[in-house]
Amino acid sequence: MKNRLYLVGLTGSGKTTIAPLVAARLGWPWLDLDAEIVARTGRTIPDLFTEDVAAFRQIEAEALAEVAQREPLLVATGGGAVLRAENRALMHATGTMLALDVAPDVAIERVSGRGAVPPVLGDDPVASLAKLRDERRDYYEEADIVMDANDADPAITARRIIAALAAHGRISAEVAPDAIAVPLPQTPYTITVAWGALTQVADQIAALGLPRRVILITDATVRGMLLDGVTASLTAGGIAVKTIIVPAGEASKSLSHLSDIYDRLIAFQAERGEAIVALGGGVVGDLAGYAAATYLRGVPLIHIPTTLLAQVDSSIGGKTGINHPRAKNAIGAFYQPRAVIIDPAALLSLDDRLYREGWGEIVKYGMALDGDLFAQMEAAGQFLLHPTPQQLATIIARCARIKADIVTRDEREGGPRLLLNYGHTIGHALEAITGYGTLLHGEAVFLGMSVEARIAVALGLLTPADLARQDALAAIFFTAPDLAALDLAAILDATRLDKKARGGRVRWVLSTGIGSATVRDDVPDALVLAVLTEVLG
C-alpha cells in the first residue's frame, strides 16, 4: 500500500486543520489541493468556481493527478473533489481515501469562526450544506475509511485517523518482520514484531489451531482508535469476535472489573479452547491475562500490545494481575500467552504522554541489562521522540529479545528476572500512594530509577557520572511533576509490600553501572527517606 492519504469531506470537516497534524506524526509532507490550484492559476477558488464550474473541476482533476505521483504525501482535497469518478478511482488506486464525516451545523460553526462561509451556500448555509452532504453521501461512503470528524479537538481526530490507518494496514514501511522465540519448556511461544501486524491476527490464530471465535478485551480509549480496524480484519479472516470494553486507566485493574469480565465471559458462553485477545496497553494486558489464567482454569491468551510500554515489556513473560488498593499487582498469576503480536505502527496514534512513558521501561533495560542499548539511545538523543519506523521496530525487538531471554532462564522471577524490576520498587509504591492514576506506570519507573540510582551511589555501587548519564537520558522523555506533598514515610511503608520482599526485608534492584545491576536487601530506611526527600521533596 502506497504512502499516500487523501482527505475528503465537506467544507468545515477539518481537512486542512487535521492534515498537518496527521502528516507531522507520520513524517510525511502534505498539501492543500485548493492552495495548489491557486498557486498554479494565480486566481482564487471562488473566482474560478464562479466563472466556470466545469473548467474548475477539470483543473482540480489535473492537479490531483499530478500530486498523486508524489510519495509519501497527504492531500487535503476540496469539498467537491469526490464528484468525479476518475478522482475517486485515482485516490483508491494510488493510496488511501479517507472521508471526514461532519454534521452540517458543526461544519458551518467552524467555518463561520474563520469568516470563511462560502457565498455559494446562500442565506441558509446549514441547510445548503446538509443538501450537499446528502448528494455526496454515496461518494464519501466509497472511501476506504470513513471517520467521524465532529470532535472539537482536531488532535484527537488526527490520532484516530492514524490508528485507523495502522489497523487497516495502510501505513507501509521498509521494515523486515522479526520473530522472537520464547522457548519455555511447557509453554513456548513467539513474539512477532512486524509493521502491519494488526492485519495479520486472524492468520496467527489459524496457525495456532485455535477455534475461530475470540473474546477481545480492550479499553475505552483503544476502542475509539484501533478496535474497528482489528475487528474488521479478524472478521474478514473468518474469526468471530465478541468484545468486552473496560474503562481506560490503572483503576480498571480491580476485583470489580475482573468480576465484570467473568460475567461477560459466562454470558458469551466462552469455551475453554477459545482465546482471549488482549488489545491494549499494560492495564488491559494484565487484566485480560489474569482473566484468561483463571476463567475455566485457563483459556488461550493472545497479546496485541498497543502502547510502547506494553510492546517492550508487560506483554512478554506471562505476568498477569490486578491491584489491591494498598499494593500494585498484589493479586495475579504467571500465565504465558500463546502469542504476542506487536505492530509498531500502532504507536503512531499514541498521545505524547503515553508514548514518552514507555521509554521508562526501555531506559530500565539499558541501565540494568544492556549498556549497548543505553549508549545507542544516548547517541540518538531527542531523535527518539520521533524515530524512523526502522529505529522503532529495532528497539522494540531488542527489548523483546532481552526479556524473552531472561524469562526463558527464569520464568517465575526467582533469579535474574528480578533485575527487570529496576526502578519498580519505588515506582510501584508511588503508584499505590497516589491512587493508581496520578502517575502512569512508565513515569513512576522513571522516578523509581532516579531514587534507586541515588541509593546505589550512596552505597558506592554506582558512580555519580553514570547517575548523571541516566538523568540526562530520562530527561528527554520525562519531567517529574510536583510530588512534594506526598507522605514520604508512607512511600517507604508501601515498599514493604513489594512482591520481591522476603522475610520482611525489601529486596532492592540497584544499578552497578550502565548495563548492570544487583539485588540488595540491606538498604537502610534512613537512606531511602533521605533520597526520597532529595528527589521528591
Side-chain angles (χ1 to χ4, degrees):
M1 180 57 62
K2 296 179 174 61
N3 283 331
R4 301 187 186 96
L5 175 63
Y6 304 95
L7 299 183
V8 302
L10 293 172
T11 294
S13 60
K15 298 185 297 294
T16 56
T17 300
I18 292 166
L21 301 177
V22 174
R25 282 180 170 266
L26 293 174
W28 297 0
W30 78 280
L31 61 82
D32 180 330
L33 192 62
D34 281 350
E36 184 80 6
I37 292 168
V38 170
R40 287 164 178 260
T41 63
R43 303 182 63 188
T44 68
I45 299 298
D47 284 348
L48 290 167
F49 195 86
T50 302
E51 180 178 302
D52 189 333
V53 174
F56 169 73
R57 293 298 177 206
Q58 181 60 33
I59 293 170
E60 181 179 57
E62 291 171 357
L64 182 62
E66 183 171 324
V67 301
Q69 305 304 309
R70 309 174 196 173
E71 184 188 11
L73 183 65
L74 192 158
V75 181
T77 68
V82 295
L83 294 174
R84 283 197 170 196
E86 60 264 41
N87 289 349
R88 301 194 301 277
L90 176 71
M91 289 187 278
H92 284 304
T94 60
T96 301
M97 177 179 165
L98 188 146
L100 295 172
D101 185 37
V102 65
D105 58 328
V106 173
I108 293 302
E109 183 179 354
R110 288 175 181 169
V111 296
S112 296
R114 303 195 303 265
V117 178
V120 71
L121 294 179
D123 295 332
D124 190 347
V126 173
S128 297
L129 204 59
K131 183 172 182 293
L132 281 176
R133 186 190 193 200
D134 288 340
E135 292 171 350
R136 298 173 182 176
R137 186 181 304 277
D138 289 346
Y139 303 142
Y140 292 140
E141 290 180 353
E142 283 185 31
D144 300 295
I145 300 169
V146 178
M147 179 72 59
D148 183 290
N150 289 296
D151 199 292
D153 186 348
I156 291 176
T157 303
R159 288 175 50 219
R160 290 177 61 234
I161 287 171
I162 293 169
L165 294 173
H168 287 85
R170 291 180 174 270
I171 308 172
S172 63
E174 296 297 323
V175 179
D178 207 341
I180 300 153
V182 187
L184 293 168
Q186 302 299 320
T187 53
Y189 59 95
T190 298
I191 305 161
T192 300
V193 181
W195 203 272
L198 288 175
T199 65
Q200 302 163 13
V201 182
D203 293 339
Q204 295 240 15
I205 291 171
L208 291 168
L210 297 174
R212 302 187 77 79
R213 185 177 83 145
V214 300
I215 313 300
L216 193 154
I217 300 178
T218 192
D219 68 28
T221 298
V222 178
R223 177 187 192 177
M225 295 284 174
L226 295 166
L227 179 60
D228 287 349
V230 172
T231 301
S233 175
L234 284 167
T235 303
I239 307 293
V241 182
K242 292 290 187 180
T243 304
I244 299 174
I245 310 294
V246 299
E250 191 74 24
S252 286
K253 285 173 55 174
S254 68
L255 282 170
S256 62
H257 286 294
L258 179 65
S259 181
D260 290 342
I261 289 173
Y262 292 144
D263 289 343
R264 297 292 300 282
L265 290 170
I266 291 168
F268 292 151
Q269 298 181 4
E271 299 177 2
R272 180 169 285 168
E274 293 175 336
I276 285 178
V277 176
L279 176 70
V283 169
V284 167
D286 285 356
L287 179 62
Y290 191 46
T294 50
Y295 179 70
L296 298 179
R297 297 187 176 90
V299 299
L301 171 65
I302 295 173
H303 280 300
I304 309 176
T306 62
T307 66
L308 181 58
L309 185 146
Q311 290 188 355
V312 301
D313 189 75
S314 65
S315 66
I316 303 164
K319 281 190 177 182
T320 73
I322 58 175
N323 298 326
H324 185 276
R326 294 181 59 200
K328 169 102 170 179
N329 293 332
I331 303 162
F334 286 97
Y335 191 72
Q336 299 296 339
R338 296 290 297 276
V340 179
I341 304 168
I342 297 174
D343 188 344
L347 304 181
L348 299 176
S349 67
L350 292 179
D351 69 34
D352 287 343
R353 185 182 178 194
L354 268 177
Y355 174 74
R356 288 169 180 260
E357 69 126 0
W359 288 92
E361 293 287 359
I362 301 175
V363 173
K364 172 201 77 176
Y365 281 121
M367 276 297 293
L369 295 157
D370 190 338
D372 288 342
L373 173 62
F374 190 97
Q376 288 174 17
M377 288 190 287
E378 280 185 312
Q382 294 286 337
F383 290 106
L384 293 174
L385 296 174
H386 302 284
T388 66
Q390 183 65 67
Q391 285 176 317
L392 189 58
T394 298
I395 287 172
I396 292 168
R398 182 163 187 155
C399 292
R401 278 194 167 81
I402 294 170
K403 186 153 190 185
D405 174 66
I406 287 181
V407 168
T408 301
R409 291 187 283 126
D410 178 20
E411 181 178 1
R412 293 180 176 265
E413 203 172 65
R417 189 167 179 176
L418 286 171
L419 300 181
L420 292 172
N421 287 283
Y422 178 55
H424 286 59
T425 301
I426 289 295
H428 283 168
L430 286 170
E431 288 182 89
I433 290 299
T434 56
Y436 302 120
T438 301
L439 293 168
L440 299 176
H441 176 65
E443 295 170 340
V445 170
F446 273 125
L447 287 167
M449 288 189 291
S450 181
V451 171
E452 292 166 30
R454 282 164 171 77
I455 292 172
V457 170
L459 293 175
L461 301 173
L462 184 69
T463 67
D466 284 345
L467 169 63
R469 290 175 66 188
Q470 176 185 284
D471 285 348
L473 186 56
I476 294 172
F477 309 102
F478 176 64
T479 301
D482 183 1
L483 298 173
L486 291 181
D487 183 341
L488 302 187
I491 297 172
L492 179 61
D493 287 342
T495 65
R496 297 189 176 96
L497 297 173
D498 188 86
K499 298 183 300 300
K500 302 183 297 300
R502 292 291 183 273
R505 299 174 72 90
V506 178
R507 292 195 290 176
W508 295 86
V509 180
L510 301 176
S511 176
T512 55
I514 305 297
S516 63
T518 190
V519 180
R520 294 277 292 265
D521 66 358
D522 59 346
V523 178
D525 287 354
L527 174 57
V528 177
L529 285 171
V531 175
L532 283 170
T533 301
E534 176 188 352
V535 174
L536 303 180

